[in-house]
Amino acid sequence: MELKDLDFQAGQVLLVDKPLEWTSFDVVGKLRNLIRIKKIGHAGTLDPLATGLLILCTGKMTKQIEHFQGQEKEYTGTITLGQTTPSHDLETEVENEKDITHLTEEMVKAAVNGFLGEIEQIPPMHSAIKVNGQRLYKAARKGKTVEVKPRNVVIHEFEITNIDFPKVDFRIVCSKGTYIRSIARDFGEKLEVGGHLSALRRTRIGEFKVDDARQIQDFIDAFKKEE
């Protein structure tokens, strides 16, 4: 069925391939204006520097958002070793560069074992989590330090797909609430050289795959006459 023929008020589940540098709310806002519907929301934030699958629900299907948020997630991406950043990705400047010439592929692949199963991780300071009523990223931007308690998450699969030092490509399957930026940080710490997330793409949420997602341009093309 064509996009323009869907009954958005009755409720739809829309799969969108989020573009680089767009926030998840940018996508929601764009579709809200294009479709002209007030009741629309996303089922799980993607950072601006991440791309990939974003599930949006409209109308009565917004009641299912929490269900979709709880689904298993799959990501692919790149960790750059030997450099850290305050945000653990490329949103902030690189710092603390370290020599990594002693690292081997065997060392990198062996480090994966410490991240499988149920693990504790500390969310990034540059995240939307609220502590004492304030979102962490707002405190971080003001230079404030806030104590963040570790959370239990589950890493079902962690595969190294390519190594081209300092870059390490990976695929991760994980539970709700997992911060891949925190994994990048902790992975670098485990190898004692530091690291940050330099690329991230969400490829799956539950049974929904990014290969089946639409581009923002598809919605623009479908509704441009009604804008």
Side-chain angles (χ1 to χ4, degrees), residues 51-53 73-76 171-172 201-205 208-211:
T51 65
L53 183 59
K73 314 290 195 306
E74 180 185 69
Y75 298 89
T76 60
R171 182 183 69 87
I172 284 177
R201 182 164 176 78
R202 186 156 66 195
T203 52
R204 180 172 63 82
I205 300 174
F208 297 103
K209 298 180 179 180
V210 72
D211 291 343

Side-chain angles (χ1 to χ4, degrees), residues 6-25:
L6 295 176
D7 188 340
F8 294 102
Q9 295 290 350
Q12 297 294 330
V13 177
L14 304 174
L15 307 183
V16 179
D17 188 348
K18 188 191 82 66
L20 186 68
E21 297 186 349
W22 283 52
T23 69
S24 300
F25 291 107

Side-chain angles (χ1 to χ4, degrees), residues 134 137-144:
Q134 184 179 28
Y137 70 85
K138 291 186 177 180
R141 288 172 181 171
K142 294 177 182 177
K144 296 181 180 179

Side-chain angles (χ1 to χ4, degrees), residues 10 60 72 75 92-93 126 138 147 158 181 192 211:
K60 294 179 181 179
E72 178 181 271
Y75 298 89
T92 51
E93 293 296 318
H126 290 254
K138 291 186 177 180
E147 182 181 356
F158 188 173
R181 282 183 288 150
E192 300 183 345
D211 291 343

Side-chain angles (χ1 to χ4, degrees), residues 46-59:
L46 270 179
D47 291 332
L49 295 183
T51 65
L53 183 59
L54 193 66
I55 295 178
L56 276 73
C57 298
T58 74

Side-chain angles (χ1 to χ4, degrees), residues 9 19 28 40 53 58 71 84 93 95 101 106 113-114 117 121 125 136 139 146 151 158 163 176 178-179 219 223:
Q9 295 290 350
V28 171
I40 181 172
L53 183 59
T58 74
Q71 298 294 303
T84 64
E93 293 296 318
E95 59 185 13
T101 54
E106 291 72 22
N113 296 325
Q121 69 169 201
M125 271 296 296
L136 285 179
V146 178
R151 295 182 166 194
F158 188 173
I163 299 175
K176 170 189 175 181
T178 304
Y179 278 92
F219 291 91
F223 294 100

